[in-house]
């Protein structure tokens, strides 16, 4: 029996006219190119000079599309700043469809016009040339860098961006508003609250009630708007959501004001209630009122444990002690729930002032 190496020997032995390819190895590519020039001839018109008359006409068309892109981008910014925020607020719930239509339409038109302009520029104003991609080492040697510089300069010259100032200027003009658009969109985070979070509608309602000779504004049950008497909430352990009377009829932005003024009323057993210093008269026989907005991230703290007298926020489990000025006993909340001062007038529960500190999560404008 002969050895396999001896049998395969003649196949691997070199010839006088050059090396013989081993079985299973690819054949060497000619000139180390990915695309063989003989198989892929240069496209028609490669290297030909442009008809300057037709080029000028194409140049004006491209410039027109760039100007259209500029106008659409400016319209986007103008609408976003001028019209979408009219009558207060940014967009408003009732104008969301209108805002999306105009903002989306203008931005789509801007990008579409720029895309059409660039496409016509490439198709009509740049001569086609065959492109050969060579296999080379990954490191960028001196020759590669020199070739890149030459190719870049050649491409810039071939595109006509230096020779055709009208295209260059209109392209920059069209791109400038698009660069500013992301900065303008930052306004979509909403207007700065300024001092709007420092007070609620309770303060305005109390002020209006005192102007009419009353001690404060009555508490009404959320959902029914029924004024609440002390006798209606006499059972210890109960909890109910209340609002200032007249908020839905008199508030300018009803939904915003309701969201800030929503309050939970809890009847804590009088023998277990520990009023905070300076707030001894803020409750009515253990009936105490706290903001319903959690001081962590603003979720509704709407759960109440009668046995422990703890108020719980279901979002991140912040827990507040209703018997001790709603101080934090567990969870990520950083401060107690704000307390609303209460009183009684003609048998009805009333608020005698606004929350003494901003409701909801902390915000940097508080200082």
């Amino acid at each position: 029996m002969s050895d396999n190496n001896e049998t395969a020997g003649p196949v691997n032995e070199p010839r006088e006219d050059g090396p013989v390819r081993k079985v299973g190895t690819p054949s060497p590519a000619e000139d180390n190119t990915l695309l063989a020039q003989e198989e892929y001839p240069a496209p028609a018109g490669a290297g030909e000079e442009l008809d300057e008359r037709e080029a000028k006409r194409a140049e004006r068309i491209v410039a027109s599309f760039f100007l259209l892109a500029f106008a659409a981008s400016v319209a986007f910014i103008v609408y976003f700043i001028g019209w979408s925020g009219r009558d207060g607020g940014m967009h408003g719930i009732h104008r969301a469809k209108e805002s999306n239509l105009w903002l989306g339409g203008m931005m789509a038109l801007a990008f579409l016009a720029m895309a059409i302009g660039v496409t016509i520029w490439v198709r009509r104003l740049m001569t086609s040339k065959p492109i050969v991609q060579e296999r080379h080492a990954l490191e960028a040697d001196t020759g590669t860098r020199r070739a890149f510089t030459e190719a870049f300069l050649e491409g810039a010259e071939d595109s006509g961006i230096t020779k055709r100032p009208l295209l260059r200027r209109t392209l920059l003009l069209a791109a400038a508003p698009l660069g500013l658009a992301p900065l303008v969109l930052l306004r979509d985070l909403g207007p700065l609250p300024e001092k709007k979070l420092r007070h609620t509608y309770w303060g305005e309602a109390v002020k209006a009630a005192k102007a009419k000779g009353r001690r404060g504004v009555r508490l009404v049950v959320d959902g029914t708007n029924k004024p609440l008497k002390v006798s209606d909430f006499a059972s210890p352990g109960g909890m109910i959501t209340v609002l200032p009377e007249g908020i839905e009829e008199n508030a300018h932005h009803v939904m915003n004001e309701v969201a800030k003024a929503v309050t939970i009323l809890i009847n804590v057993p009088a023998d277990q209630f520990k009023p905070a210093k300076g707030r001894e008269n803020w409750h009515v026989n253990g009936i105490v009122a706290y903001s319903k907005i959690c001081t962590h991230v603003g979720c509704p703290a709407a759960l109440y444990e009668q046995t422990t007298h703890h108020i719980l926020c279901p979002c991140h489990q912040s827990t507040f002690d209703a018997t001790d000025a709603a101080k934090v006993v567990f969870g990520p909340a950083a401060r107690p729930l704000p307390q609303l001062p209460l009183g009684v007038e003609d048998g009805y529960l009333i608020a005698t002032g606004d929350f003494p500190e901003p409701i909801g999560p902390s915000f940097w404008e508080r200082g």
Side-chain angles (χ1 to χ4, degrees), residues 62 64-70 72 108-118:
V62 173
S64 299
F65 277 106
F66 287 164
L67 290 174
L68 177 61
F70 169 77
L109 180 61
F111 282 115
L112 180 62
M114 285 195 67
I116 294 175
V118 171

Side-chain angles (χ1 to χ4, degrees), residues 77 91 98 100 111 114 123 125 164 184 192 239 276 302 308 338 363:
I77 296 174
H91 303 306
E98 172 197 333
N100 292 339
F111 282 115
M114 285 195 67
R123 297 292 297 274
L125 296 173
R164 304 183 186 279
V184 178
L192 293 176
M239 185 186 78
T308 61
F363 53 98

Side-chain angles (χ1 to χ4, degrees), residues 266-280 282-283 286-290 304-305 308-311 319-330 335-339 357:
I266 301 175
N267 191 331
V268 179
D271 58 340
Q272 299 182 35
F273 186 69
K274 297 176 290 185
K277 185 177 180 180
R279 301 182 180 182
E280 292 81 1
W282 284 26
H283 69 99
I287 300 177
V288 63
Y290 298 112
Y304 179 63
E305 292 180 345
T308 61
H309 307 294
H310 286 170
I311 305 168
T319 308
F320 309 88
D321 188 357
T323 65
D324 191 12
K327 292 181 179 179
V328 181
V329 296
F330 180 79
R335 60 192 182 95
L337 295 174
Q339 183 179 352
E357 63 268 353

Side-chain angles (χ1 to χ4, degrees), residues 114-157:
M114 285 195 67
I116 294 175
V118 171
T119 301
I120 297 176
W121 185 343
V122 174
R123 297 292 297 274
R124 300 288 184 87
L125 296 173
M126 296 180 64
T127 57
S128 58
K129 294 182 179 180
I131 300 175
V132 178
Q133 183 177 3
E134 298 182 353
R135 294 179 180 176
H136 53 81
L138 294 179
E139 62 270 12
D141 52 18
T142 305
T144 301
R145 292 193 293 268
R146 184 185 302 111
F148 172 80
T149 303
E150 294 175 356
F152 180 82
L153 294 177
E154 181 182 358
E157 180 66 24

Side-chain angles (χ1 to χ4, degrees), residues 135-265:
R135 294 179 180 176
H136 53 81
L138 294 179
E139 62 270 12
D141 52 18
T142 305
T144 301
R145 292 193 293 268
R146 184 185 302 111
F148 172 80
T149 303
E150 294 175 356
F152 180 82
L153 294 177
E154 181 182 358
E157 180 66 24
D158 188 49
S159 67
I161 194 170
T162 57
K163 185 174 66 174
R164 304 183 186 279
L166 177 61
L167 292 183
R168 182 176 67 252
R169 293 166 184 170
T170 52
L171 174 61
L172 294 175
L173 184 66
L178 292 178
L180 295 175
L183 298 177
V184 178
L185 286 175
L186 291 176
R187 188 173 178 238
D188 203 26
L189 296 175
L192 293 176
E194 298 175 351
K195 296 184 178 181
K196 296 178 182 177
L197 297 179
R198 298 179 183 271
H199 57 83
T200 69
Y201 189 77
W202 286 105
E204 299 179 23
V206 169
K207 184 177 179 180
K210 290 183 177 181
K212 297 178 181 179
R214 301 199 299 265
R215 292 182 53 231
V217 62
R218 295 192 297 184
L219 279 61
V220 297
V221 180
D222 182 24
T224 64
N225 293 330
K226 178 183 177 181
L228 193 63
K229 291 185 176 181
V230 177
S231 58
D232 296 333
F233 200 65
S235 301
M239 185 186 78
I240 195 171
T241 301
V242 296
L243 292 169
E245 185 177 28
I247 186 172
E248 295 186 358
E249 295 80 12
N250 302 322
H252 183 56
H253 298 288
V254 176
M255 296 185 66
N256 290 341
E257 295 300 334
V258 168
K260 293 192 300 179
V262 63
T263 303
I264 52 175
L265 197 67

